[in-house]
Coordinates of all heavy atoms in Angstrom, one line a residue:
M7 N 1.5 0.5 2.3 CA 0.7 1.6 2.8 C 0.2 1.1 4.2 O -0.3 0.0 4.3 CB -0.5 1.9 2.0 CG -1.5 2.8 2.5 SD -1.0 4.7 2.6 CE -0.2 4.9 1.1
E8 N 0.6 1.8 5.2 CA 0.2 1.5 6.6 C -1.3 1.9 6.8 O -1.7 3.0 6.3 CB 1.1 2.3 7.6 CG 2.6 1.8 7.5 CD 2.8 0.5 8.1 OE1 2.1 0.1 9.1 OE2 3.6 -0.2 7.6
I9 N -2.0 1.2 7.7 CA -3.3 1.6 8.0 C -3.4 2.9 8.7 O -4.3 3.7 8.6 CB -4.0 0.5 8.9 CG1 -4.2 -0.8 7.9 CG2 -5.3 1.0 9.5 CD1 -4.9 -1.9 8.7
K10 N -2.4 3.2 9.7 CA -2.3 4.5 10.3 C -2.4 5.7 9.4 O -2.9 6.7 9.7 CB -1.3 4.6 11.5 CG 0.1 4.8 11.0 CD 0.9 5.0 12.1 CE 2.3 5.5 11.6 NZ 3.3 5.7 12.6
E11 N -1.7 5.6 8.2 CA -1.6 6.5 7.2 C -2.9 6.7 6.6 O -3.4 7.9 6.3 CB -0.5 6.2 6.1 CG 0.8 6.2 6.7 CD 1.9 5.8 5.7 OE1 1.6 4.8 4.9 OE2 3.0 6.3 5.8
L12 N -3.5 5.6 6.3 CA -5.0 5.7 5.9 C -6.0 6.4 6.8 O -6.9 7.2 6.5 CB -5.5 4.4 5.4 CG -4.8 3.7 4.3 CD1 -5.3 2.3 4.1 CD2 -4.9 4.5 3.0
K13 N -5.8 6.2 8.1 CA -6.6 6.8 9.1 C -6.2 8.3 9.1 O -7.2 9.2 9.3 CB -6.3 6.3 10.5 CG -7.0 4.9 10.7 CD -6.8 4.4 12.0 CE -7.4 3.0 12.3 NZ -7.1 2.5 13.6
T14 N -5.1 8.6 8.9 CA -4.6 10.1 8.8 C -5.3 10.8 7.7 O -5.6 12.0 8.0 CB -3.0 10.1 8.6 OG1 -2.3 9.6 9.6 CG2 -2.6 11.7 8.6
L15 N -5.6 10.1 6.7 CA -6.3 10.7 5.5 C -7.8 10.9 5.9 O -8.6 11.4 5.0 CB -6.2 9.9 4.3 CG -4.9 9.9 3.7 CD1 -4.9 9.0 2.5 CD2 -4.5 11.3 3.3
G16 N -8.2 10.4 7.0 CA -9.6 10.6 7.5 C -10.5 9.4 6.9 O -11.7 9.7 6.8
L17 N -10.0 8.4 6.6 CA -10.8 7.3 6.0 C -11.5 6.5 7.1 O -10.9 6.3 8.2 CB -9.9 6.3 5.2 CG -9.2 6.8 3.9 CD1 -8.5 5.6 3.3 CD2 -10.2 7.5 3.0
S18 N -12.6 6.0 6.9 CA -13.4 5.3 7.9 C -12.8 3.9 7.9 O -12.1 3.4 7.0 CB -15.0 5.3 7.5 OG -15.1 4.5 6.3
R19 N -13.2 3.2 8.8 CA -12.9 1.7 8.9 C -13.3 0.9 7.6 O -12.5 0.1 7.2 CB -13.5 1.0 10.2 CG -13.1 -0.4 10.4 CD -13.8 -1.1 11.7 NE -12.7 -0.9 12.7 CZ -12.9 -0.8 13.9 NH1 -14.1 -0.7 14.4 NH2 -11.8 -0.9 14.8
G20 N -14.5 1.1 7.2 CA -15.0 0.5 5.9 C -14.2 0.9 4.7 O -13.8 0.1 3.9
E21 N -13.8 2.2 4.6 CA -13.0 2.7 3.5 C -11.7 2.1 3.5 O -11.2 1.6 2.5 CB -13.0 4.1 3.6 CG -14.2 4.9 3.3 CD -14.2 6.5 3.5 OE1 -13.4 6.9 4.4 OE2 -15.0 7.1 2.7
I22 N -11.2 1.8 4.8 CA -9.8 1.3 4.8 C -9.9 -0.3 4.4 O -9.0 -0.7 3.6 CB -9.2 1.4 6.3 CG1 -8.9 2.9 6.6 CG2 -8.0 0.5 6.5 CD1 -8.5 3.2 7.9
K23 N -10.9 -0.9 4.8 CA -11.0 -2.4 4.4 C -11.2 -2.5 3.0 O -10.6 -3.3 2.3 CB -12.5 -2.9 5.1 CG -12.2 -3.4 6.5 CD -13.5 -4.0 6.9 CE -13.4 -4.7 8.3 NZ -14.6 -5.3 8.6
V24 N -12.0 -1.7 2.3 CA -12.2 -1.7 0.8 C -10.8 -1.4 0.1 O -10.5 -2.1 -0.8 CB -13.4 -0.9 0.4 CG1 -13.5 -0.7 -1.1 CG2 -14.8 -1.5 0.9
Y25 N -10.3 -0.2 0.5 CA -9.1 0.2 -0.1 C -8.0 -0.9 0.1 O -7.3 -1.3 -0.9 CB -8.6 1.5 0.5 CG -7.4 2.0 -0.2 CD1 -7.5 2.8 -1.3 CD2 -6.0 1.7 0.2 CE1 -6.3 3.3 -2.0 CE2 -4.9 2.2 -0.5 CZ -5.1 3.0 -1.5 OH -4.0 3.4 -2.2
S26 N -7.9 -1.4 1.2 CA -6.9 -2.5 1.4 C -7.2 -3.8 0.5 O -6.2 -4.4 0.0 CB -6.8 -2.9 3.0 OG -6.5 -1.8 3.7
A27 N -8.4 -4.1 0.4 CA -8.7 -5.3 -0.3 C -8.4 -5.0 -1.8 O -7.9 -6.0 -2.5 CB -10.3 -5.5 -0.2
I28 N -8.6 -3.8 -2.4 CA -8.3 -3.5 -3.7 C -6.8 -3.5 -3.9 O -6.3 -4.0 -4.8 CB -9.0 -2.3 -4.2 CG1 -10.4 -2.3 -4.1 CG2 -8.4 -1.8 -5.5 CD1 -11.2 -1.0 -4.3
L29 N -6.1 -3.0 -3.0 CA -4.7 -2.8 -2.9 C -4.1 -4.2 -3.0 O -3.1 -4.5 -3.8 CB -4.1 -2.1 -1.8 CG -2.7 -1.8 -1.7 CD1 -2.2 -0.9 -2.9 CD2 -2.3 -1.1 -0.3
Y30 N -4.5 -5.2 -2.2 CA -4.1 -6.6 -2.2 C -4.4 -7.3 -3.4 O -3.5 -8.1 -3.9 CB -4.7 -7.3 -0.8 CG -4.3 -8.7 -0.7 CD1 -2.9 -9.0 -0.2 CD2 -5.1 -9.6 -1.1 CE1 -2.6 -10.4 -0.1 CE2 -4.8 -11.0 -1.0 CZ -3.6 -11.4 -0.5 OH -3.2 -12.7 -0.4
T31 N -5.6 -7.1 -4.0 CA -6.1 -7.9 -5.1 C -5.5 -7.4 -6.4 O -5.4 -8.1 -7.3 CB -7.6 -8.0 -5.0 OG1 -8.1 -8.4 -3.8 CG2 -8.1 -9.0 -6.1
G32 N -5.4 -6.0 -6.4 CA -5.1 -5.4 -7.7 C -6.4 -4.9 -8.4 O -7.2 -4.4 -7.7
I33 N -6.5 -5.3 -9.5 CA -7.9 -5.0 -10.3 C -9.0 -5.9 -9.7 O -8.8 -7.1 -9.6 CB -7.8 -5.2 -11.7 CG1 -6.7 -4.2 -12.3 CG2 -9.1 -5.0 -12.5 CD1 -6.4 -4.4 -13.8
S34 N -10.0 -5.2 -9.1 CA -11.0 -5.9 -8.4 C -12.4 -5.7 -8.8 O -12.7 -4.5 -9.1 CB -10.9 -5.6 -6.9 OG -9.6 -5.8 -6.4
S35 N -13.2 -6.7 -8.8 CA -14.6 -6.6 -8.9 C -15.3 -6.3 -7.6 O -14.7 -6.5 -6.6 CB -15.3 -7.7 -9.7 OG -15.2 -8.9 -8.9
V36 N -16.6 -6.0 -7.6 CA -17.3 -5.9 -6.4 C -17.4 -7.2 -5.6 O -17.2 -7.3 -4.4 CB -18.7 -5.3 -6.6 CG1 -19.6 -5.3 -5.3 CG2 -18.7 -3.9 -7.0
N37 N -17.5 -8.4 -6.5 CA -17.4 -9.7 -5.9 C -16.1 -9.9 -5.2 O -16.1 -10.5 -4.1 CB -17.6 -10.7 -7.0 CG -19.1 -10.8 -7.4 OD1 -20.0 -10.4 -6.8 ND2 -19.2 -11.3 -8.7
D38 N -15.0 -9.6 -5.8 CA -13.6 -9.8 -5.1 C -13.6 -9.0 -3.8 O -13.2 -9.6 -2.7 CB -12.5 -9.2 -6.1 CG -12.4 -10.0 -7.4 OD1 -12.7 -11.2 -7.3 OD2 -12.0 -9.3 -8.4
I39 N -14.0 -7.7 -3.8 CA -14.1 -7.0 -2.6 C -14.9 -7.5 -1.5 O -14.6 -7.5 -0.4 CB -14.4 -5.6 -3.0 CG1 -13.5 -4.8 -3.9 CG2 -14.6 -4.5 -1.7 CD1 -14.0 -3.6 -4.6
H40 N -16.2 -7.9 -1.9 CA -17.1 -8.6 -1.0 C -16.4 -9.7 -0.3 O -16.5 -10.0 0.9 CB -18.3 -9.0 -1.6 CG -19.3 -9.8 -0.8 ND1 -20.0 -9.2 0.2 CD2 -19.7 -11.0 -1.0 CE1 -20.7 -10.1 0.7 NE2 -20.6 -11.2 0.0
E41 N -15.7 -10.6 -1.1 CA -15.1 -11.8 -0.5 C -14.0 -11.5 0.3 O -13.9 -12.1 1.5 CB -14.5 -12.7 -1.7 CG -15.6 -13.4 -2.6 CD -15.0 -14.2 -3.7 OE1 -13.7 -14.3 -3.8 OE2 -15.8 -14.6 -4.7
K42 N -13.2 -10.4 0.2 CA -12.1 -10.0 0.9 C -12.6 -9.4 2.3 O -12.0 -9.6 3.3 CB -11.2 -9.1 0.2 CG -10.4 -9.8 -0.9 CD -9.1 -10.4 -0.3 CE -8.3 -11.0 -1.4 NZ -7.8 -12.3 -1.3
T43 N -13.6 -8.5 2.1 CA -14.0 -7.8 3.3 C -15.2 -8.3 4.1 O -15.3 -8.0 5.3 CB -14.4 -6.4 2.8 OG1 -15.6 -6.4 2.0 CG2 -13.3 -5.6 2.2
G44 N -16.1 -9.0 3.5 CA -17.3 -9.5 4.1 C -18.3 -8.4 4.3 O -19.3 -8.6 5.0
L45 N -18.1 -7.2 3.8 CA -19.1 -6.2 3.9 C -20.3 -6.4 3.0 O -20.1 -7.1 1.9 CB -18.4 -4.8 3.4 CG -17.3 -4.3 4.3 CD1 -16.6 -3.2 3.7 CD2 -17.9 -4.0 5.7
E46 N -21.4 -5.9 3.3 CA -22.6 -5.8 2.4 C -22.3 -5.2 1.0 O -21.6 -4.1 1.1 CB -23.7 -5.3 3.1 CG -24.3 -6.0 4.2 CD -25.4 -5.4 5.0 OE1 -26.1 -4.6 4.2 OE2 -25.7 -5.6 6.0
R47 N -22.9 -5.7 -0.1 CA -22.6 -5.1 -1.3 C -23.0 -3.7 -1.4 O -22.4 -2.8 -1.9 CB -23.3 -6.0 -2.4 CG -22.7 -7.4 -2.5 CD -23.6 -8.2 -3.3 NE -23.3 -8.1 -4.7 CZ -22.2 -8.6 -5.4 NH1 -21.4 -9.2 -4.7 NH2 -22.0 -8.3 -6.6
R48 N -24.2 -3.4 -0.8 CA -24.7 -1.9 -0.8 C -23.6 -1.1 -0.2 O -23.3 0.1 -0.7 CB -26.0 -1.9 -0.1 CG -26.6 -0.5 -0.3 CD -27.1 -0.1 -1.5 NE -26.5 1.2 -1.9 CZ -26.1 1.5 -3.1 NH1 -26.4 0.7 -4.2 NH2 -25.5 2.7 -3.4
A49 N -23.1 -1.5 0.9 CA -22.1 -0.7 1.6 C -20.8 -0.6 0.8 O -20.2 0.5 0.7 CB -21.8 -1.3 3.0
I50 N -20.4 -1.6 0.0 CA -19.3 -1.6 -0.8 C -19.5 -0.6 -1.8 O -18.6 0.4 -2.1 CB -19.0 -3.0 -1.4 CG1 -18.5 -3.9 -0.3 CG2 -17.9 -2.9 -2.5 CD1 -18.5 -5.4 -0.7
Y51 N -20.6 -0.5 -2.5 CA -20.9 0.5 -3.6 C -20.7 1.9 -3.0 O -20.2 2.9 -3.6 CB -22.2 0.3 -4.2 CG -22.3 -0.9 -5.2 CD1 -22.9 -2.0 -4.9 CD2 -21.5 -0.8 -6.4 CE1 -22.9 -3.1 -5.8 CE2 -21.6 -1.8 -7.3 CZ -22.2 -3.0 -7.0 OH -22.3 -4.0 -7.9
D52 N -21.3 2.1 -1.8 CA -21.4 3.5 -1.2 C -19.8 3.9 -0.8 O -19.4 4.9 -1.1 CB -22.1 3.5 0.1 CG -23.6 3.5 -0.1 OD1 -24.0 3.8 -1.3 OD2 -24.4 3.1 0.8
I53 N -19.0 3.0 -0.4 CA -17.7 3.1 0.0 C -16.9 3.4 -1.3 O -16.0 4.3 -1.3 CB -17.1 2.0 0.8 CG1 -17.8 2.0 2.3 CG2 -15.5 2.1 0.9 CD1 -17.5 0.8 3.1
L54 N -17.1 2.6 -2.4 CA -16.4 2.8 -3.6 C -16.6 4.2 -4.1 O -15.7 4.9 -4.6 CB -16.8 1.7 -4.6 CG -16.3 0.3 -4.4 CD1 -16.9 -0.6 -5.3 CD2 -14.8 0.3 -4.6
N55 N -17.8 4.7 -4.1 CA -18.1 6.0 -4.6 C -17.4 7.1 -3.7 O -16.9 8.1 -4.3 CB -19.7 6.3 -4.5 CG -20.4 5.5 -5.6 OD1 -19.8 5.3 -6.6 ND2 -21.6 5.1 -5.4
K56 N -17.3 6.9 -2.4 CA -16.6 7.8 -1.6 C -15.0 7.9 -2.0 O -14.4 8.8 -2.1 CB -16.8 7.5 -0.1 CG -18.1 7.7 0.4 CD -18.3 7.4 1.9 CE -19.6 7.5 2.4 NZ -19.9 7.0 3.7
L57 N -14.5 6.7 -2.1 CA -13.1 6.6 -2.5 C -12.7 7.1 -3.8 O -11.7 7.7 -4.1 CB -12.6 5.1 -2.3 CG -12.6 4.5 -0.9 CD1 -12.4 3.0 -1.0 CD2 -11.5 5.2 0.0
I58 N -13.7 7.0 -4.7 CA -13.5 7.5 -6.1 C -13.6 9.1 -6.0 O -12.7 9.7 -6.6 CB -14.6 6.9 -7.1 CG1 -14.3 5.5 -7.4 CG2 -14.6 7.8 -8.3 CD1 -15.6 4.8 -8.1
K59 N -14.6 9.6 -5.2 CA -14.7 11.0 -5.1 C -13.3 11.6 -4.4 O -13.0 12.6 -4.8 CB -15.9 11.3 -4.2 CG -16.3 12.7 -4.2 CD -17.7 12.8 -3.4 CE -18.4 14.0 -3.7 NZ -19.6 14.1 -3.0
K60 N -12.7 10.8 -3.5 CA -11.5 11.3 -2.8 C -10.3 11.2 -3.8 O -9.1 11.6 -3.5 CB -11.3 10.5 -1.6 CG -12.4 10.9 -0.4 CD -12.1 10.1 0.7 CE -13.3 10.5 1.8 NZ -13.1 9.7 3.1
G61 N -10.4 10.3 -4.9 CA -9.4 10.2 -5.8 C -8.4 9.1 -5.4 O -7.3 9.1 -6.0
L62 N -8.9 8.3 -4.5 CA -8.0 7.2 -4.0 C -8.0 5.9 -4.9 O -7.2 5.1 -4.9 CB -8.3 6.9 -2.6 CG -8.0 8.0 -1.7 CD1 -8.4 7.7 -0.3 CD2 -6.6 8.6 -1.8
I63 N -9.2 5.7 -5.5 CA -9.3 4.6 -6.5 C -9.9 5.1 -7.8 O -10.6 6.1 -7.8 CB -10.1 3.5 -5.8 CG1 -11.6 3.8 -5.6 CG2 -9.5 2.9 -4.6 CD1 -12.5 2.7 -5.3
T64 N -9.8 4.2 -8.8 CA -10.3 4.6 -10.1 C -11.0 3.2 -10.6 O -10.9 2.2 -9.9 CB -9.2 4.9 -11.1 OG1 -8.3 3.8 -11.2 CG2 -8.4 6.2 -10.7
Y65 N -11.7 3.5 -11.7 CA -12.3 2.2 -12.3 C -12.4 2.2 -13.7 O -12.1 3.2 -14.3 CB -13.8 2.1 -11.7 CG -14.8 3.1 -12.2 CD1 -15.5 3.0 -13.4 CD2 -14.9 4.4 -11.6 CE1 -16.4 4.0 -13.9 CE2 -15.8 5.3 -12.1 CZ -16.5 5.1 -13.2 OH -17.2 6.1 -13.7
T66 N -12.5 1.1 -14.3 CA -12.6 0.9 -15.8 C -13.9 0.1 -16.1 O -14.2 -0.7 -15.0 CB -11.4 0.3 -16.4 OG1 -11.1 -0.9 -15.8 CG2 -10.3 1.1 -16.3
V67 N -14.4 0.2 -17.1 CA -15.5 -0.7 -17.5 C -15.1 -1.7 -18.4 O -14.6 -1.3 -19.6 CB -16.7 0.2 -18.1 CG1 -17.9 -0.7 -18.5 CG2 -17.2 1.3 -17.1
E68 N -15.3 -2.9 -18.2 CA -14.9 -4.0 -19.1 C -16.0 -4.9 -19.2 O -16.6 -5.4 -18.1 CB -13.6 -4.8 -18.5 CG -12.4 -3.9 -18.3 CD -11.4 -4.7 -17.6 OE1 -11.6 -5.9 -17.2 OE2 -10.3 -4.1 -17.3
Q69 N -16.5 -5.2 -20.4 CA -17.7 -6.1 -20.7 C -18.8 -5.6 -19.8 O -19.5 -6.4 -19.1 CB -17.3 -7.5 -20.4 CG -16.1 -8.0 -21.3 CD -15.6 -9.4 -21.0 OE1 -16.1 -10.0 -20.1 NE2 -14.8 -10.0 -21.8
N70 N -19.1 -4.4 -19.8 CA -20.2 -3.7 -19.0 C -20.1 -4.1 -17.6 O -21.1 -3.9 -16.9 CB -21.6 -4.3 -19.6 CG -22.0 -3.8 -21.0 OD1 -21.5 -2.7 -21.4 ND2 -22.6 -4.6 -21.7
R71 N -19.0 -4.3 -17.0 CA -18.7 -4.5 -15.6 C -17.6 -3.5 -15.2 O -16.6 -3.4 -15.8 CB -18.5 -5.8 -15.3 CG -19.5 -6.9 -15.4 CD -19.2 -8.2 -15.1 NE -18.9 -8.4 -13.6 CZ -18.3 -9.3 -13.1 NH1 -17.7 -10.2 -13.8 NH2 -18.2 -9.3 -11.7
K72 N -17.8 -2.9 -14.0 CA -16.8 -1.9 -13.5 C -15.8 -2.8 -12.7 O -16.1 -3.8 -12.0 CB -17.4 -0.9 -12.5 CG -18.1 0.1 -13.3 CD -18.5 1.2 -12.2 CE -19.2 2.3 -12.8 NZ -19.7 3.3 -11.9
T73 N -14.5 -2.6 -12.9 CA -13.4 -3.0 -12.1 C -12.8 -2.0 -11.5 O -12.6 -0.9 -12.0 CB -12.4 -4.0 -12.9 OG1 -12.0 -3.2 -14.0 CG2 -13.2 -5.2 -13.5
Y74 N -12.2 -2.1 -10.3 CA -11.7 -1.0 -9.5 C -10.1 -1.2 -9.2 O -9.7 -2.6 -9.1 CB -12.3 -0.9 -8.2 CG -13.9 -0.6 -8.4 CD1 -14.7 -1.7 -8.5 CD2 -14.3 0.6 -8.5 CE1 -16.1 -1.5 -8.7 CE2 -15.7 0.9 -8.6 CZ -16.6 -0.2 -8.8 OH -17.9 0.0 -9.0
Q75 N -9.3 -0.2 -9.2 CA -7.9 -0.3 -8.8 C -7.6 0.9 -8.0 O -8.2 2.0 -8.1 CB -7.0 -0.5 -10.0 CG -7.0 0.6 -10.9 CD -7.8 0.3 -12.3 OE1 -8.1 -0.8 -12.5 NE2 -7.8 1.3 -13.2
C76 N -6.5 0.8 -7.3 CA -5.9 1.9 -6.5 C -5.4 2.9 -7.4 O -4.7 2.6 -8.4 CB -5.1 1.4 -5.5 SG -5.7 0.4 -4.3
A77 N -5.5 4.2 -7.1 CA -5.0 5.2 -7.8 C -3.4 5.2 -7.6 O -3.0 4.6 -6.7 CB -5.5 6.5 -7.3
P78 N -2.6 5.9 -8.4 CA -1.1 5.8 -8.3 C -0.8 6.3 -6.8 O -1.4 7.2 -6.2 CB -0.6 6.8 -9.3 CG -1.8 6.8 -10.3 CD -3.0 6.6 -9.5
M79 N 0.3 5.8 -6.3 CA 0.7 6.0 -4.9 C 1.0 7.6 -4.8 O 0.9 8.2 -3.7 CB 2.0 5.3 -4.6 CG 2.1 4.9 -3.2 SD 0.6 4.5 -2.2 CE 0.6 2.8 -2.4
S80 N 1.3 8.2 -5.9 CA 1.6 9.7 -5.7 C 0.3 10.3 -5.3 O 0.4 11.4 -4.7 CB 2.0 10.2 -7.2 OG 1.0 10.0 -8.2
K81 N -0.8 10.0 -5.8 CA -2.2 10.6 -5.3 C -2.3 10.5 -3.9 O -2.7 11.4 -3.2 CB -3.2 9.9 -6.1 CG -4.6 10.5 -5.7 CD -4.7 11.9 -6.1 CE -6.1 12.4 -5.7 NZ -6.3 13.8 -5.8
I82 N -1.9 9.4 -3.2 CA -2.0 9.1 -1.8 C -1.1 10.1 -1.1 O -1.5 10.8 -0.2 CB -1.7 7.7 -1.4 CG1 -2.6 6.7 -2.1 CG2 -1.8 7.5 0.1 CD1 -4.0 6.8 -1.7
K83 N 0.1 10.1 -1.6 CA 1.1 11.1 -1.0 C 0.7 12.5 -1.1 O 0.9 13.2 -0.1 CB 2.4 10.8 -1.6 CG 3.1 9.5 -1.2 CD 4.4 9.3 -2.0 CE 5.0 7.8 -1.6 NZ 6.3 7.6 -2.3
E84 N 0.1 12.8 -2.2 CA -0.5 14.2 -2.3 C -1.5 14.5 -1.4 O -1.6 15.5 -0.8 CB -1.0 14.3 -3.8 CG -1.6 15.6 -4.1 CD -2.2 15.6 -5.5 OE1 -1.6 15.1 -6.4 OE2 -3.3 16.2 -5.5
E85 N -2.4 13.6 -1.1 CA -3.5 13.7 -0.1 C -2.8 13.9 1.4 O -3.3 14.7 2.1 CB -4.5 12.6 -0.2 CG -5.4 12.5 -1.3 CD -6.3 13.8 -1.4 OE1 -6.9 14.2 -0.4 OE2 -6.3 14.4 -2.5
I86 N -1.9 13.0 1.6 CA -1.2 13.1 3.0 C -0.6 14.5 3.2 O -0.7 15.1 4.2 CB -0.2 12.0 3.1 CG1 -0.9 10.6 3.2 CG2 0.7 12.2 4.3 CD1 -0.1 9.4 3.2
N87 N 0.1 14.9 2.1 CA 0.8 16.2 2.1 C -0.2 17.3 2.2 O 0.0 18.4 3.0 CB 1.7 16.5 0.9 CG 2.9 15.6 1.0 OD1 3.4 15.2 2.0 ND2 3.5 15.3 -0.2
K88 N -1.3 17.2 1.6 CA -2.4 18.2 1.9 C -2.9 18.3 3.3 O -3.1 19.4 3.8 CB -3.6 17.9 1.0 CG -4.6 19.0 0.8 CD -5.9 18.6 0.0 CE -5.8 18.0 -1.3 NZ -7.1 17.7 -1.9
K89 N -3.1 17.1 3.8 CA -3.6 17.1 5.3 C -2.4 17.8 6.2 O -2.8 18.4 7.1 CB -3.8 15.7 5.7 CG -4.9 15.0 5.2 CD -6.2 15.6 5.9 CE -7.5 14.8 5.4 NZ -8.7 15.3 5.9
K90 N -1.2 17.5 5.9 CA -0.1 18.0 6.7 C -0.1 19.5 6.6 O 0.0 20.3 7.6 CB 1.3 17.5 6.2 CG 1.5 16.2 6.7 CD 3.0 15.7 6.1 CE 3.3 14.3 6.4 NZ 4.5 13.8 5.9
R91 N -0.2 20.0 5.4 CA -0.3 21.5 5.1 C -1.6 22.2 6.0 O -1.3 23.2 6.6 CB -0.4 21.9 3.6 CG 0.9 21.7 3.0 CD 0.9 22.3 1.6 NE -0.1 21.7 0.7 CZ 0.0 20.7 0.1 NH1 1.1 19.9 0.0 NH2 -0.9 20.3 -0.8
Q92 N -2.6 21.4 5.9 CA -3.8 22.0 6.7 C -3.5 21.9 8.2 O -3.9 23.0 8.8 CB -5.0 21.0 6.4 CG -5.5 21.2 5.0 CD -6.7 20.1 4.8 OE1 -6.9 19.2 5.5 NE2 -7.5 20.4 3.6
L93 N -2.8 20.9 8.7 CA -2.5 20.9 10.2 C -1.6 22.1 10.4 O -1.7 22.6 11.5 CB -2.0 19.6 10.5 CG -3.1 18.5 10.5 CD1 -2.3 17.1 10.7 CD2 -4.1 18.7 11.6
Q94 N -0.5 22.3 9.6 CA 0.4 23.2 9.8 C -0.2 24.7 9.8 O 0.2 25.6 10.5 CB 1.6 23.2 8.8 CG 2.5 21.9 9.0 CD 3.4 21.8 7.9 OE1 3.3 22.4 6.8 NE2 4.4 20.9 8.0
S95 N -1.2 24.9 9.0 CA -1.9 26.2 9.0 C -2.6 26.5 10.3 O -2.7 27.7 10.7 CB -2.8 26.3 7.8 OG -4.0 25.5 8.0
F96 N -3.0 25.4 11.0 CA -3.7 25.7 12.3 C -2.5 25.9 13.4 O -3.0 26.7 14.3 CB -4.4 24.4 12.7 CG -5.7 24.1 11.9 CD1 -5.8 22.9 11.3 CD2 -6.6 25.2 11.8 CE1 -7.1 22.6 10.6 CE2 -7.7 24.8 11.0 CZ -8.0 23.6 10.5
E97 N -1.4 25.5 13.2 CA -0.3 25.8 14.1 C 0.2 27.3 14.1 O 0.7 27.8 15.0 CB 0.8 24.8 14.0 CG 0.5 23.3 14.4 CD 1.5 22.4 14.0 OE1 2.6 22.8 13.6 OE2 1.4 21.2 14.5
A98 N 0.1 27.8 12.8 CA 0.7 29.2 12.6 C -0.2 30.3 13.3 O -1.1 30.2 13.8 CB 0.7 29.5 11.2

């Protein structure tokens, strides 16, 4: 996944950092994400909630701890296609 494609989806710089960290690591804890991005933990939680709301990442609860992973690539492609259709509707 290219960073410019993530920007096309309207993701912020922080959202791209967190998404990329999860994509690189696979199943990730907040500690893993913190180590990869250097972002403050509070910011990470806020960003994770935004990415979950957008359907780009999912989480599971294991031993009372959440772990995060990227949603299937088909979800990303669906979001990109949705943006394309929105842009095309402005051109018509």
